[in-house]
Amino acid sequence: MAEYDRMNDLELVNLIKSGNKRAFAQIYDRYFGVLYLHAYRQLRDKDEAKDLLQDLFSYLWSHRESLSPSSNFSHYLYMSVRNRVLNILAHKYVEDKFLLSLSHTGSRAEAVTDHRARERQLAVIIEQEIQLLPPKMREVFELSRKANLSHKEIAVRLGLSEQSVRSHVKGALRLLRSRLGLWVYLCMIAGAIAGAN
């Protein structure tokens, strides 16, 4: 290897182009250390820096025939490392943004799923409380809130006076409010929460 030590980069590159492995080993030994430090300073990851250099030298060997000999081969190597570092950093940036968007999407999806689960639980609780109402009151209330019938329609269907229907609905709401709490009661009045279907 002594004769290769004395060769300049241009001479070594010309030999590499013709498939000379010893010339390639000389370039590798000459530049690996400084290029590794250059990559590591940017990436702050030893394994990533080593992988980058291994990929670069593998690429150089597999594309040796298309190498353009230059008096400034070291500049070519530094620029190759720089470009690869930039590609890695750009990929990480895109990946981080993608993962962040997934994380946010996941959080929103979990929040929606959690909200729907709680809404279903609440609907079940409301339905249980409705079933505990006195029979006639429950029947009137269900026709009012589930079938969306008017007081007049309920009165005709059940053979009751409209005043009686109104009293049953008010009584049901009063009982449900006392059992379920004001917030649930208001939601139910507003129609935001329907009974379990």
Side-chain angles (χ1 to χ4, degrees):
M1 288 285 285
E3 72 265 28
Y4 292 95
D5 286 344
R6 293 191 293 270
M7 290 181 180
N8 63 35
D9 292 349
L10 181 57
E11 293 170 318
L12 290 169
V13 170
N14 277 320
L15 289 171
I16 290 169
K17 280 174 67 72
S18 64
N20 189 311
K21 292 181 179 178
R22 292 177 72 189
F24 181 77
Q26 180 60 41
I27 286 287
Y28 183 92
D29 290 341
R30 189 175 289 181
Y31 287 105
F32 186 89
V34 290
L35 293 174
Y36 167 78
L37 289 174
H38 181 58
Y40 176 70
R41 275 197 294 268
Q42 304 299 316
L43 298 172
R44 297 294 175 190
D45 185 304
K46 292 179 180 179
D47 291 333
E48 218 162 27
K50 285 179 185 175
D51 288 345
L52 183 152
L53 266 294
Q54 294 295 344
D55 287 345
L56 172 60
F57 280 102
S58 293
Y59 175 85
L60 291 176
W61 180 253
S62 61
H63 293 81
R64 61 189 176 277
E65 293 175 1
S66 60
L67 285 176
S68 299
S70 164
S71 58
N72 198 354
F73 191 64
S74 61
H75 177 73
Y76 168 79
L77 292 174
Y78 275 100
M79 291 303 294
S80 296
V81 169
R82 177 180 174 275
N83 290 337
R84 285 168 182 266
V85 165
L86 289 175
N87 285 339
I88 289 171
L89 294 177
H91 178 74
K92 280 185 174 180
Y93 175 75
V94 171
E95 190 176 63
D96 287 349
K97 289 202 64 159
F98 177 69
L99 290 174
L100 189 62
S101 73
L102 276 184
S103 161
H104 287 169
T105 303
S107 297
R108 285 195 296 272
E110 286 170 15
V112 169
T113 302
D114 186 51
H115 173 73
R116 286 179 180 160
R118 278 181 285 148
E119 195 174 59
R120 281 193 296 271
Q121 288 173 338
L122 193 51
V124 168
I125 291 169
I126 291 171
E127 182 60 27
Q128 288 171 345
E129 291 300 328
I130 289 172
Q131 294 307 310
L132 293 174
L133 293 172
K136 184 57 71 176
M137 184 181 285
R138 183 182 74 238
E139 186 178 20
V140 169
F141 185 79
E142 286 180 334
L143 288 173
S144 171
R145 289 300 183 266
K146 291 184 180 179
N148 292 315
L149 298 181
S150 68
H151 289 174
K152 184 175 183 178
E153 291 170 325
I154 295 169
V156 170
R157 178 176 291 195
L158 299 180
L160 301 170
S161 68
E162 286 187 49
Q163 180 58 44
S164 179
V165 169
R166 196 171 293 112
S167 295
H168 279 306
V169 170
K170 284 183 179 179
L173 288 173
R174 188 172 55 251
L175 283 171
L176 290 171
R177 178 179 176 178
S178 67
R179 293 174 184 172
L180 296 170
L182 179 62
W183 183 83
V184 175
Y185 166 79
L186 291 175
C187 287
M188 194 166 52
I189 294 300
I193 300 174
N197 292 322

